[in-house]
Amino acid sequence: MNKRTSPIIIGNWKTTPATLSLAVKFVKQLDKKLEKGKIKLSKKSYYLAVPDIFIPTLKEISGGYIGSQNISGVSLGQTTGETIPSQILSGGADFTIIGHSEVRARGETADDRAHKVALSLQSRLTTILCVGELVRDKEGKYLGELEDDLKQSLLLVSKNLFENLIIAYEPVWAIGGTTPATPQECFEVVIAIRRALASLVGIDYAKKIHVLYGGTVTKNNAKTFIEEGDVDGLLIGRSSQDVETFEEIINACHSA
């Protein structure tokens, strides 16, 4: 797996928009704006994590990658109300997010994450694994906690499956707040993440795994994280739910 030369920009729609028709309208407007923009972008310049029911339709019309916001940790069988990776894939999903802070807050455990990540990567589904501290202590203990969290989440994954893994750093204290993490703070965490990955798969391979930042990303600070935070892209929530803002962020990051 080679290091990307263009940023990975992922929008997380959460429970928006209200209807499929609005989702289709958004994607068509976004693709049109990007096509007419001043910057020449790669063929697929963005990722959108959307409600599962929208995936098949948006996959057919979108100029980007379409994925899910979560998967279950169960296998094929008799479990009601859950969706497994192969089903997400067959519906058209290009990727999934696992371990988002909101999912963790609803009770997802380290064991849950480990099983989800393993099943997802075994299905060859591109997997964005989220990690991030609740609070940041001055002594730097949170860095060790992040490394432990990452190792536990990847406990069941074979080395040969890491090729489809992406890590997203989302400091919980910065999400939805007025003060995001600084690029320097992000840079320090990226080093810790790669150190943890190196302990699992070796330093050379760890350097090639893409690391993203997510936490109060706006059109004003997005480019800075790419240029100074040593990340390969961004995981964006609210700002990805507005066509103009998301388009501006995508173009800003590709110009970085």
Side-chain angles (χ1 to χ4, degrees):
M1 179 171 60
N2 297 319
K3 191 77 167 176
R4 289 180 63 95
T5 56
S6 59
I8 300 172
I9 310 301
I10 303 175
N12 179 13
W13 274 4
K14 306 187 181 184
T15 49
T16 69
T19 66
L20 177 59
S21 61
L22 288 174
V24 169
K25 180 180 178 180
F26 181 107
V27 167
K28 288 183 176 180
Q29 288 179 341
L30 176 62
D31 286 342
K32 187 175 181 179
K33 285 180 175 293
L34 292 174
E35 184 179 351
K36 291 185 176 181
K38 296 180 180 179
I39 299 175
K40 185 174 179 58
L41 302 175
S42 55
K43 187 175 181 180
K44 289 181 177 287
S45 57
Y46 65 87
Y47 292 60
L48 279 176
V50 305
D52 288 353
I53 199 168
F54 294 168
I55 292 175
T57 299
L58 297 185
K59 172 70 173 182
E60 292 296 320
I61 67 168
S62 173
Y65 297 100
I66 301 298
S68 69
Q69 301 167 18
N70 191 23
I71 59 168
S72 70
V74 301
S75 302
L76 182 67
Q78 307 302 314
T79 304
T80 301
E82 299 288 359
T83 305
I84 63 175
S86 63
Q87 293 165 343
I88 290 288
L89 274 168
S90 66
D94 297 301
F95 70 94
T96 188
I97 297 173
I98 294 176
H100 191 279
S101 59
E102 294 174 1
V103 178
R104 293 179 183 231
R106 294 198 296 267
E108 182 187 70
T109 66
D111 186 60
D112 292 334
R113 274 190 303 283
H115 281 88
K116 288 181 180 182
V117 172
L119 289 172
S120 181
L121 290 175
Q122 286 166 11
S123 297
R124 306 295 176 177
L125 183 62
T126 296
T127 303
I128 294 93
L129 171 62
C130 299
V131 296
E133 74 276 14
L134 293 173
V135 295
R136 176 170 291 217
D137 62 281
K138 295 181 180 180
E139 295 77 22
K141 294 180 180 178
Y142 71 93
L143 291 173
E145 294 173 358
L146 284 177
E147 291 185 48
D148 289 341
D149 182 15
L150 189 59
K151 291 176 183 178
Q152 290 177 12
S153 297
L154 298 172
L155 189 63
L156 305 178
V157 180
S158 300
K159 179 178 178 179
N160 64 311
L161 297 178
F162 275 65
E163 183 175 2
N164 291 318
L165 175 68
I166 297 172
I167 306 298
Y169 168 56
E170 50 162 10
V172 181
W173 53 270
I175 297 175
T178 57
T179 305
T182 65
Q184 180 58 37
E185 289 171 330
C186 181
F187 182 80
E188 294 171 352
V189 173
V190 171
I191 293 174
I193 288 174
R194 296 205 186 283
R195 182 167 57 228
L197 292 171
S199 70
L200 297 172
V201 294
I203 186 63
D204 290 337
Y205 204 92
K207 289 179 179 179
K208 297 177 182 178
I209 295 176
H210 309 123
V211 179
L212 316 180
Y213 170 75
T216 314
V217 175
T218 69
K219 61 183 180 182
N220 296 319
N221 66 12
K223 184 176 179 178
T224 307
F225 282 104
I226 299 294
E227 293 180 332
E228 302 175 20
D230 196 35
V231 293
D232 303 297
L234 303 170
L235 175 60
I236 305 164
R238 295 179 190 178
S239 293
S240 71
Q241 298 164 16
D242 177 79
V243 176
E244 291 188 5
T245 302
F246 193 42
E247 180 259 341
E248 288 175 343
I249 290 176
I250 292 170
N251 279 317
C253 290
H254 278 80
S255 69

